[in-house]
Amino acid sequence: MSTIQLITKTIPFLLMRLLIYGVFAVVALVFLGIMIGIGFLLHKVFGDSSMAFIVLMVITFGVIRGGLRFLEQYVLYIVKVGHISVVVELIKTGKIPEGKGQIAYGKEQVKQNFGTANVAFVVDKAVHGAVRQIQRWVLRVGDSFSFVPGIKNIIGIVNAIMSVSLNYIDEAVVSYIILRKNEKREENVWKSACDGVVLYAQSWKGILKTATGAVIFIFAFGIVTFLIFALPLMGLSKLLTLNNPDMGMFFGFIALIGAYILTLTMKRALIDPLVTIAMVNTYQKSIYNETPSVDLHNKLLGVSSKFKTLANKSKEPEPARKAEVVESAI
Protein backbone atom coordinates (compact mmCIF):
# COMPACT_ATOMS: atom_id res chain seq x y z
CA MET A 1 0.00 0.00 0.00
CA SER A 2 1.37 3.42 -0.95
CA THR A 3 2.00 6.24 1.50
CA ILE A 4 -0.72 8.35 -0.11
CA GLN A 5 -3.24 5.53 0.37
CA LEU A 6 -2.24 5.14 4.00
CA ILE A 7 -2.71 8.87 4.53
CA THR A 8 -6.17 8.95 2.92
CA LYS A 9 -7.29 5.86 4.85
CA THR A 10 -6.30 7.35 8.22
CA ILE A 11 -7.87 10.79 7.83
CA PRO A 12 -9.70 10.51 11.21
CA PHE A 13 -6.37 10.58 13.06
CA LEU A 14 -5.20 13.60 11.06
CA LEU A 15 -8.45 15.44 11.84
CA MET A 16 -8.15 14.60 15.53
CA ARG A 17 -4.58 15.92 15.66
CA LEU A 18 -5.60 19.05 13.77
CA LEU A 19 -8.44 19.66 16.23
CA ILE A 20 -6.26 19.16 19.32
CA TYR A 21 -3.40 21.29 18.01
CA GLY A 22 -5.88 23.91 16.78
CA VAL A 23 -7.32 24.26 20.27
CA PHE A 24 -3.79 24.50 21.66
CA ALA A 25 -2.87 27.21 19.14
CA VAL A 26 -5.94 29.27 20.07
CA VAL A 27 -5.19 28.96 23.79
CA ALA A 28 -1.50 29.78 23.20
CA LEU A 29 -2.33 32.87 21.14
CA VAL A 30 -4.86 34.10 23.71
CA PHE A 31 -2.28 33.59 26.46
CA LEU A 32 0.32 35.37 24.33
CA GLY A 33 -2.10 38.28 23.81
CA ILE A 34 -2.70 38.59 27.56
CA MET A 35 1.02 38.55 28.29
CA ILE A 36 1.64 41.12 25.56
CA GLY A 37 -0.96 43.35 27.19
CA ILE A 38 0.83 43.02 30.52
CA GLY A 39 4.15 43.65 28.77
CA PHE A 40 2.76 46.76 27.09
CA LEU A 41 1.64 48.04 30.48
CA LEU A 42 5.12 47.43 31.89
CA HIS A 43 6.59 49.23 28.88
CA LYS A 44 4.43 52.26 29.63
CA VAL A 45 5.29 52.25 33.31
CA PHE A 46 9.03 51.57 33.16
CA GLY A 47 9.93 52.94 29.74
CA ASP A 48 12.10 51.62 26.90
CA SER A 49 14.99 50.71 29.16
CA SER A 50 13.01 48.16 31.12
CA MET A 51 13.99 44.49 30.87
CA ALA A 52 10.63 43.47 32.31
CA PHE A 53 9.04 42.90 28.90
CA ILE A 54 11.92 40.69 27.70
CA VAL A 55 11.76 38.60 30.89
CA LEU A 56 7.98 38.33 30.51
CA MET A 57 8.29 37.09 26.92
CA VAL A 58 10.88 34.50 27.92
CA ILE A 59 8.50 33.21 30.60
CA THR A 60 5.64 33.21 28.07
CA PHE A 61 7.62 31.13 25.60
CA GLY A 62 8.62 28.75 28.39
CA VAL A 63 4.99 28.24 29.44
CA ILE A 64 3.83 27.66 25.84
CA ARG A 65 6.70 25.26 25.16
CA GLY A 66 6.01 23.40 28.39
CA GLY A 67 2.32 23.19 27.56
CA LEU A 68 3.16 21.73 24.14
CA ARG A 69 5.45 19.08 25.66
CA PHE A 70 2.75 18.10 28.17
CA LEU A 71 0.15 17.88 25.41
CA GLU A 72 2.37 15.67 23.24
CA GLN A 73 3.59 13.39 26.01
CA TYR A 74 0.37 12.82 27.94
CA VAL A 75 -2.45 13.48 25.47
CA LEU A 76 -1.28 13.07 21.89
CA TYR A 77 1.17 10.23 22.38
CA ILE A 78 -1.55 7.60 22.60
CA VAL A 79 -3.09 9.11 19.45
CA LYS A 80 0.25 8.79 17.65
CA VAL A 81 0.82 5.17 18.68
CA GLY A 82 -2.79 4.34 17.85
CA HIS A 83 -2.28 5.89 14.42
CA ILE A 84 0.84 3.78 13.88
CA SER A 85 -1.11 0.67 14.93
CA VAL A 86 -3.74 1.34 12.28
CA VAL A 87 -1.06 2.02 9.64
CA VAL A 88 0.63 -1.30 10.47
CA GLU A 89 -2.68 -3.16 10.15
CA LEU A 90 -3.40 -1.47 6.82
CA ILE A 91 0.06 -2.36 5.50
CA LYS A 92 -0.39 -5.97 6.60
CA THR A 93 -4.04 -6.65 5.68
CA GLY A 94 -5.27 -3.60 3.78
CA LYS A 95 -8.08 -2.97 6.26
CA ILE A 96 -8.95 -2.77 9.94
CA PRO A 97 -11.43 -5.14 11.62
CA GLU A 98 -15.03 -4.39 10.75
CA GLY A 99 -17.26 -2.84 13.36
CA LYS A 100 -14.47 -0.79 14.91
CA GLY A 101 -13.63 2.84 14.33
CA GLN A 102 -10.00 3.74 13.71
CA ILE A 103 -9.60 5.70 16.93
CA ALA A 104 -11.13 2.93 19.06
CA TYR A 105 -9.07 0.25 17.31
CA GLY A 106 -5.85 2.26 17.72
CA LYS A 107 -6.50 2.78 21.44
CA GLU A 108 -7.23 -0.93 21.86
CA GLN A 109 -3.96 -1.82 20.12
CA VAL A 110 -1.94 0.41 22.42
CA LYS A 111 -3.38 -1.40 25.47
CA GLN A 112 -2.87 -4.85 23.96
CA ASN A 113 0.67 -4.28 22.73
CA PHE A 114 2.13 -2.13 25.50
CA GLY A 115 -0.27 -2.41 28.44
CA THR A 116 -0.27 1.37 28.99
CA ALA A 117 0.71 4.44 27.04
CA ASN A 118 3.42 5.05 29.67
CA VAL A 119 5.14 1.80 28.71
CA ALA A 120 5.00 2.71 25.02
CA PHE A 121 6.43 6.15 25.80
CA VAL A 122 9.36 4.74 27.81
CA VAL A 123 10.18 2.20 25.08
CA ASP A 124 9.96 4.95 22.45
CA LYS A 125 12.42 7.15 24.34
CA ALA A 126 14.83 4.24 24.84
CA VAL A 127 14.76 3.49 21.11
CA HIS A 128 15.25 7.19 20.32
CA GLY A 129 18.36 7.32 22.50
CA ALA A 130 19.82 4.15 20.98
CA VAL A 131 19.26 5.32 17.41
CA ARG A 132 20.80 8.71 18.20
CA GLN A 133 23.98 7.06 19.46
CA ILE A 134 24.13 4.76 16.44
CA GLN A 135 23.75 7.69 14.07
CA ARG A 136 26.57 9.53 15.84
CA TRP A 137 28.74 6.44 15.45
CA VAL A 138 27.96 6.29 11.73
CA LEU A 139 28.96 9.93 11.35
CA ARG A 140 32.21 9.36 13.25
CA VAL A 141 32.98 6.53 10.85
CA GLY A 142 32.33 8.97 7.99
CA ASP A 143 34.81 11.43 9.52
CA SER A 144 37.59 8.89 8.95
CA PHE A 145 37.25 9.66 5.23
CA SER A 146 37.70 13.40 5.75
CA PHE A 147 40.78 13.33 3.53
CA VAL A 148 38.49 12.87 0.50
CA PRO A 149 37.80 16.26 -1.18
CA GLY A 150 34.28 17.51 -0.45
CA ILE A 151 33.45 14.67 1.93
CA LYS A 152 32.92 17.06 4.86
CA ASN A 153 30.11 18.81 2.99
CA ILE A 154 28.47 15.48 2.25
CA ILE A 155 28.79 14.39 5.87
CA GLY A 156 27.26 17.70 6.95
CA ILE A 157 24.26 17.17 4.68
CA VAL A 158 23.82 13.58 5.85
CA ASN A 159 24.06 14.75 9.46
CA ALA A 160 21.31 17.33 8.90
CA ILE A 161 19.07 14.74 7.25
CA MET A 162 19.66 12.15 9.96
CA SER A 163 19.07 14.69 12.73
CA VAL A 164 15.62 15.53 11.37
CA SER A 165 14.76 11.93 10.51
CA LEU A 166 15.66 10.87 14.06
CA ASN A 167 12.33 12.34 15.20
CA TYR A 168 10.52 9.71 13.12
CA ILE A 169 12.79 6.63 13.30
CA ASP A 170 11.62 5.62 16.77
CA GLU A 171 8.01 5.56 15.51
CA ALA A 172 9.12 3.22 12.72
CA VAL A 173 10.67 0.86 15.30
CA VAL A 174 7.46 1.10 17.37
CA SER A 175 5.61 -0.10 14.26
CA TYR A 176 7.85 -3.20 14.26
CA ILE A 177 7.00 -3.85 17.93
CA ILE A 178 3.29 -3.62 17.09
CA LEU A 179 3.73 -5.93 14.11
CA ARG A 180 5.50 -8.56 16.23
CA LYS A 181 2.83 -8.36 18.93
CA ASN A 182 0.06 -8.73 16.34
CA GLU A 183 1.83 -11.83 15.05
CA LYS A 184 1.64 -13.26 18.60
CA ARG A 185 5.41 -13.54 18.92
CA GLU A 186 6.62 -14.80 22.29
CA GLU A 187 8.92 -11.88 23.06
CA ASN A 188 8.66 -8.79 25.22
CA VAL A 189 8.56 -5.27 23.82
CA TRP A 190 12.25 -4.70 24.63
CA LYS A 191 13.30 -7.68 22.50
CA SER A 192 11.14 -6.43 19.63
CA ALA A 193 12.58 -2.92 20.06
CA CYS A 194 16.13 -4.27 20.05
CA ASP A 195 15.54 -6.27 16.85
CA GLY A 196 13.72 -3.30 15.32
CA VAL A 197 16.76 -1.06 15.83
CA VAL A 198 19.04 -3.66 14.22
CA LEU A 199 16.68 -3.91 11.24
CA TYR A 200 16.70 -0.11 10.97
CA ALA A 201 20.50 -0.16 10.78
CA GLN A 202 20.30 -2.88 8.10
CA SER A 203 17.78 -0.87 6.06
CA TRP A 204 19.43 2.55 6.26
CA LYS A 205 19.62 3.09 2.48
CA GLY A 206 15.88 3.10 1.82
CA ILE A 207 15.17 5.00 5.02
CA LEU A 208 17.79 7.65 4.22
CA LYS A 209 16.20 8.17 0.80
CA THR A 210 12.76 8.74 2.35
CA ALA A 211 14.30 10.91 5.07
CA THR A 212 15.95 13.12 2.45
CA GLY A 213 12.62 13.80 0.77
CA ALA A 214 11.00 14.36 4.16
CA VAL A 215 13.63 16.92 5.22
CA ILE A 216 13.19 18.90 1.97
CA PHE A 217 9.42 18.78 2.40
CA ILE A 218 9.55 19.86 6.06
CA PHE A 219 11.82 22.85 5.40
CA ALA A 220 9.83 23.94 2.33
CA PHE A 221 6.57 23.66 4.24
CA GLY A 222 7.99 25.60 7.19
CA ILE A 223 9.23 28.49 5.06
CA VAL A 224 6.08 28.78 2.94
CA THR A 225 3.70 28.43 5.90
CA PHE A 226 5.62 30.95 8.00
CA LEU A 227 5.43 33.51 5.16
CA ILE A 228 1.71 32.84 4.68
CA PHE A 229 1.08 33.64 8.34
CA ALA A 230 3.76 36.31 8.83
CA LEU A 231 2.95 38.61 5.90
CA PRO A 232 -0.71 39.34 6.81
CA LEU A 233 0.15 39.57 10.52
CA MET A 234 2.94 42.03 9.76
CA GLY A 235 0.53 44.02 7.60
CA LEU A 236 -2.00 44.06 10.43
CA SER A 237 0.63 45.21 12.92
CA LYS A 238 1.55 48.05 10.57
CA LEU A 239 -2.06 49.18 10.35
CA LEU A 240 -2.41 49.11 14.13
CA THR A 241 0.65 51.34 14.58
CA LEU A 242 -0.02 53.96 11.89
CA ASN A 243 -0.64 56.59 14.56
CA ASN A 244 2.16 55.33 16.77
CA PRO A 245 5.23 54.51 14.65
CA ASP A 246 7.38 53.97 17.74
CA MET A 247 5.45 50.80 18.47
CA GLY A 248 5.86 49.43 14.92
CA MET A 249 8.88 47.29 15.73
CA PHE A 250 7.24 45.99 18.89
CA PHE A 251 4.05 44.84 17.13
CA GLY A 252 6.09 43.51 14.21
CA PHE A 253 8.00 41.31 16.62
CA ILE A 254 4.74 40.07 18.12
CA ALA A 255 3.44 39.29 14.63
CA LEU A 256 6.49 37.13 13.96
CA ILE A 257 5.96 35.26 17.23
CA GLY A 258 2.33 34.60 16.30
CA ALA A 259 3.38 33.36 12.84
CA TYR A 260 5.92 31.03 14.44
CA ILE A 261 3.33 29.53 16.81
CA LEU A 262 0.86 28.97 13.96
CA THR A 263 3.56 27.43 11.73
CA LEU A 264 4.70 25.11 14.51
CA THR A 265 1.10 24.07 15.15
CA MET A 266 0.50 23.25 11.48
CA LYS A 267 3.73 21.24 11.31
CA ARG A 268 2.96 19.20 14.41
CA ALA A 269 -0.68 18.68 13.43
CA LEU A 270 -0.28 17.74 9.76
CA ILE A 271 3.31 17.32 8.62
CA ASP A 272 4.61 15.15 11.46
CA PRO A 273 1.99 12.40 11.00
CA LEU A 274 2.47 12.46 7.21
CA VAL A 275 6.24 12.04 7.54
CA THR A 276 5.73 9.37 10.20
CA ILE A 277 3.50 7.38 7.83
CA ALA A 278 6.09 7.69 5.04
CA MET A 279 8.91 6.53 7.34
CA VAL A 280 6.88 3.64 8.78
CA ASN A 281 5.85 2.52 5.29
CA THR A 282 9.44 2.65 3.99
CA TYR A 283 10.74 0.87 7.07
CA GLN A 284 8.16 -1.90 6.89
CA LYS A 285 8.85 -2.48 3.20
CA SER A 286 12.62 -2.44 3.75
CA ILE A 287 12.54 -5.05 6.53
CA TYR A 288 10.01 -7.36 4.88
CA ASN A 289 11.26 -10.96 5.18
CA GLU A 290 14.49 -9.66 6.77
CA THR A 291 15.93 -11.07 9.99
CA PRO A 292 18.10 -9.09 12.42
CA SER A 293 21.80 -9.65 11.76
CA VAL A 294 23.58 -11.20 14.74
CA ASP A 295 26.89 -9.66 13.67
CA LEU A 296 25.36 -6.19 13.42
CA HIS A 297 23.59 -6.69 16.74
CA ASN A 298 26.93 -7.46 18.42
CA LYS A 299 28.55 -4.49 16.68
CA LEU A 300 25.85 -2.13 17.95
CA LEU A 301 26.35 -3.42 21.50
CA GLY A 302 29.86 -2.00 21.34
CA VAL A 303 28.97 1.42 19.95
CA SER A 304 25.76 2.30 21.82
CA SER A 305 25.29 2.05 25.57
CA LYS A 306 21.56 2.70 25.17
CA PHE A 307 21.24 -0.12 22.64
CA LYS A 308 23.04 -2.34 25.16
CA THR A 309 20.42 -1.31 27.73
CA LEU A 310 17.68 -2.37 25.30
CA ALA A 311 19.40 -5.72 24.81
CA ASN A 312 19.75 -6.27 28.57
CA LYS A 313 16.10 -5.41 29.24
CA SER A 314 15.02 -7.86 26.54
CA LYS A 315 16.42 -10.68 28.70
CA GLU A 316 14.53 -9.71 31.86
CA PRO A 317 11.47 -11.68 33.02
CA GLU A 318 8.25 -10.09 31.82
CA PRO A 319 6.69 -9.28 35.25
CA ALA A 320 9.89 -7.63 36.55
CA ARG A 321 10.29 -5.72 33.34
CA LYS A 322 6.74 -4.34 33.53
CA ALA A 323 7.14 -3.21 37.10
CA GLU A 324 10.38 -1.39 36.30
CA VAL A 325 8.98 0.29 33.21
CA VAL A 326 5.86 1.55 34.99
CA GLU A 327 7.99 2.83 37.88
CA SER A 328 10.37 4.67 35.54
CA ALA A 329 7.45 6.18 33.65
CA ILE A 330 5.89 7.79 36.72
Side-chain angles (χ1 to χ4, degrees):
M1 186 172 291
S2 70
T3 298
I4 298 299
Q5 288 175 316
L6 291 172
I7 292 171
T8 57
K9 286 180 177 291
T10 58
I11 290 295
F13 280 98
L14 299 180
L15 293 177
M16 173 173 281
R17 288 177 64 95
L18 186 61
L19 175 63
I20 295 173
Y21 275 109
V23 171
F24 171 80
V26 171
V27 172
L29 289 173
V30 170
F31 175 69
L32 178 63
I34 293 173
M35 299 305 283
I36 288 171
I38 296 174
F40 182 75
L41 179 61
L42 292 174
H43 173 79
K44 286 290 187 181
V45 172
F46 296 103
D48 293 336
S49 61
S50 173
M51 291 293 293
F53 177 75
I54 296 176
V55 173
L56 193 65
M57 287 298 100
V58 171
I59 294 173
T60 301
F61 268 114
V63 171
I64 293 175
R65 189 74 178 180
L68 182 60
R69 284 184 62 86
F70 177 84
L71 180 71
E72 292 181 333
Q73 291 184 9
Y74 296 98
V75 179
L76 277 165
Y77 189 76
I78 192 170
V79 176
K80 180 171 69 174
V81 178
H83 192 181
I84 294 171
S85 300
V86 171
V87 168
V88 169
E89 187 66 22
L90 288 172
I91 292 173
K92 184 179 178 182
T93 67
K95 61 180 181 180
I96 61 173
E98 295 182 3
K100 293 183 179 180
Q102 289 189 16
I103 306 298
Y105 176 77
K107 185 177 180 180
E108 178 184 287
Q109 286 293 297
V110 174
K111 291 181 179 179
Q112 288 182 358
N113 296 325
F114 295 97
T116 67
N118 279 345
V119 174
F121 181 77
V122 173
V123 175
D124 189 309
K125 290 304 177 186
V127 170
H128 184 89
V131 173
R132 179 181 292 277
Q133 288 185 333
I134 292 168
Q135 289 185 348
R136 287 174 179 170
W137 169 69
V138 171
L139 291 173
R140 284 199 299 269
V141 172
D143 286 338
S144 63
F145 296 93
S146 58
F147 62 89
V148 179
I151 195 67
K152 288 187 177 180
N153 294 331
I154 296 175
I155 292 174
I157 294 172
V158 172
N159 184 33
I161 293 171
M162 294 177 75
S163 296
V164 175
S165 67
L166 179 63
N167 297 320
Y168 308 97
I169 293 299
D170 43 331
E171 279 84 359
V173 176
V174 166
S175 77
Y176 177 76
I177 298 172
I178 294 169
L179 178 66
R180 299 289 284 182
K181 286 292 184 181
N182 289 347
E183 292 175 347
K184 308 300 181 183
R185 303 283 182 167
E186 293 297 327
E187 60 189 38
N188 61 36
V189 294
W190 295 104
K191 175 64 167 62
S192 299
C194 190
D195 289 345
V197 172
V198 175
L199 288 170
Y200 154 70
Q202 289 177 212
S203 312
W204 66 271
K205 290 182 181 179
I207 293 173
L208 184 62
K209 182 179 178 181
T210 299
T212 301
V215 168
I216 295 173
F217 179 61
I218 290 170
F219 278 106
F221 175 86
I223 293 171
V224 172
T225 305
F226 181 78
L227 291 175
I228 290 174
F229 286 128
L231 292 177
L233 288 176
M234 290 289 287
L236 179 62
S237 69
K238 187 174 182 179
L239 289 175
L240 293 174
T241 57
L242 285 177
N243 297 325
N244 191 1
D246 293 338
M247 295 300 294
M249 183 176 294
F250 171 76
F251 275 91
F253 175 69
I254 299 306
L256 293 178
I257 294 176
Y260 172 77
I261 292 175
L262 291 171
T263 301
L264 180 63
T265 300
M266 291 296 292
K267 176 188 176 296
R268 297 292 180 90
L270 293 178
I271 303 306
D272 282 357
L274 300 185
V275 175
T276 297
I277 291 173
M279 295 295 284
V280 167
N281 197 27
T282 299
Y283 175 81
Q284 289 289 339
K285 289 179 178 178
S286 298
I287 68 173
Y288 183 70
N289 284 336
E290 293 286 332
T291 56
S293 167
V294 176
D295 290 340
L296 182 57
H297 177 278
N298 294 334
K299 182 69 175 179
L300 295 180
L301 287 175
V303 301
S304 172
S305 60
K306 293 187 180 296
F307 178 78
K308 189 173 183 179
T309 299
L310 280 179
N312 291 336
K313 285 182 177 293
S314 69
K315 301 173 184 176
E316 295 177 2
E318 190 75 7
R321 178 195 61 80
K322 283 186 177 180
E324 180 182 340
V325 170
V326 172
E327 182 180 351
S328 63
I330 296 175

